Amino acid sequence: MINEEQVELLAIDWFKELGYDYFLGYEISPDSQNPQRKSYDEVILFNRLKNALIKLNSNIPLVAIEDAIDILRKPQQASLVQNNRAFHQMILQGISVDIKKDDETKGDVVKLIDFENFSNNDFLVVNQFIIKENNNEKRLDVVLFINGLPLVIIELKNALDEKATLYRAYIQIQNYKNAIPSIFYYNALTIISDGIDARVSSL
């Protein structure tokens, strides 16, 4: 009999076959031996992001890349949807930065993803990813990180459990949006599935 955990592991195997690195959430938690973030309220994996941006923007000084990361870390809009839309533009167009050289300042763009050569990007799949925000603690089934950015959230249910429907997975995503909104600032796709049927949407 298939259960939710088996659906989750099967999905992870598919992503590993596509070339994704893989970690179980606790293996890279802030209190692990291999922390990928400083605290549970951080949703970006900053070291992976920084290393990826340095690789993708070899012509951009490190200080300007760090400026771009600061912009990413501090959403400026009033609502979740507005912040998500602003991030979408950053993904497509890059982040504008100022570069100072020889008493002159010129503008340039830090790109977040290499859309022309996908192998230049950093792909990571993590399951059981814990986020703590506003006194809420949630554990996400599967999160896909590209260049350290949590672009995809996958919520899985057991197809053999009559109560674990796609609709309940949808409701759970809505609860997550209210409880831990910061990860949805960076969301490109949300997927719900019971291992047989699936739905996908933007925020």
Side-chain angles (χ1 to χ4, degrees), residues 5 8-9 12 21-40 42-43 45 48 124-132 137-145 183:
E5 181 181 5
E8 186 176 296
L9 294 176
I12 289 167
D21 294 335
Y22 164 67
F23 284 111
L24 182 58
Y26 80 86
E27 296 175 332
I28 59 171
S29 65
D31 45 13
S32 71
Q33 294 184 348
N34 181 33
Q36 300 285 307
R37 50 187 175 142
K38 294 180 180 179
S39 64
Y40 282 101
E42 290 186 350
V43 298
L45 305 182
R48 295 183 86 100
L124 174 68
V125 56
V126 179
N127 64 323
Q128 301 303 305
F129 187 73
I130 294 175
I131 300 172
K132 298 179 181 180
E137 177 177 330
K138 300 297 180 182
R139 187 190 308 265
L140 303 182
D141 288 342
V142 180
V143 181
L144 304 184
F145 293 87
I183 194 168

Side-chain angles (χ1 to χ4, degrees), residues 2-159:
I2 191 170
N3 57 36
E4 184 176 327
E5 181 181 5
Q6 289 172 309
V7 175
E8 186 176 296
L9 294 176
L10 180 59
I12 289 167
D13 285 341
W14 287 339
F15 286 111
K16 288 165 68 175
E17 290 176 7
L18 290 171
Y20 280 70
D21 294 335
Y22 164 67
F23 284 111
L24 182 58
Y26 80 86
E27 296 175 332
I28 59 171
S29 65
D31 45 13
S32 71
Q33 294 184 348
N34 181 33
Q36 300 285 307
R37 50 187 175 142
K38 294 180 180 179
S39 64
Y40 282 101
D41 63 354
E42 290 186 350
V43 298
I44 294 174
L45 305 182
F46 290 106
N47 286 339
R48 295 183 86 100
L49 173 63
K50 183 176 180 179
N51 291 337
L53 296 191
I54 290 172
K55 178 180 178 181
L56 298 184
N57 301 275
S58 58
N59 61 317
I60 304 289
L62 178 59
V63 64
I65 289 176
E66 291 174 339
D67 287 344
I69 292 174
D70 284 341
I71 292 171
L72 272 175
R73 294 181 67 175
K74 300 172 183 176
Q76 302 295 318
Q77 305 301 319
S79 74
L80 173 56
V81 170
Q82 288 173 323
N83 280 311
N84 183 262
R85 184 177 290 117
F87 174 70
H88 180 71
Q89 292 300 313
M90 294 180 196
I91 286 287
L92 295 179
Q93 301 173 4
I95 298 176
S96 297
V97 293
D98 291 329
I99 298 175
K100 295 181 180 180
K101 185 177 181 181
D102 299 330
D103 296 326
E104 293 185 0
T105 300
K106 68 172 186 176
D108 212 326
V109 174
V110 173
K111 67 178 179 180
L112 303 182
I113 292 180
D114 189 337
F115 288 104
E116 297 179 358
N117 187 349
F118 288 124
S119 63
N120 284 335
N121 299 296
D122 177 83
F123 295 91
L124 174 68
V125 56
V126 179
N127 64 323
Q128 301 303 305
F129 187 73
I130 294 175
I131 300 172
K132 298 179 181 180
E133 183 176 350
N134 298 326
N135 296 318
N136 296 307
E137 177 177 330
K138 300 297 180 182
R139 187 190 308 265
L140 303 182
D141 288 342
V142 180
V143 181
L144 304 184
F145 293 87
I146 300 180
N147 297 339
L149 299 167
L151 297 189
V152 181
I153 294 172
I154 304 175
E155 177 66 23
L156 299 170
K157 296 298 180 185
N158 180 2

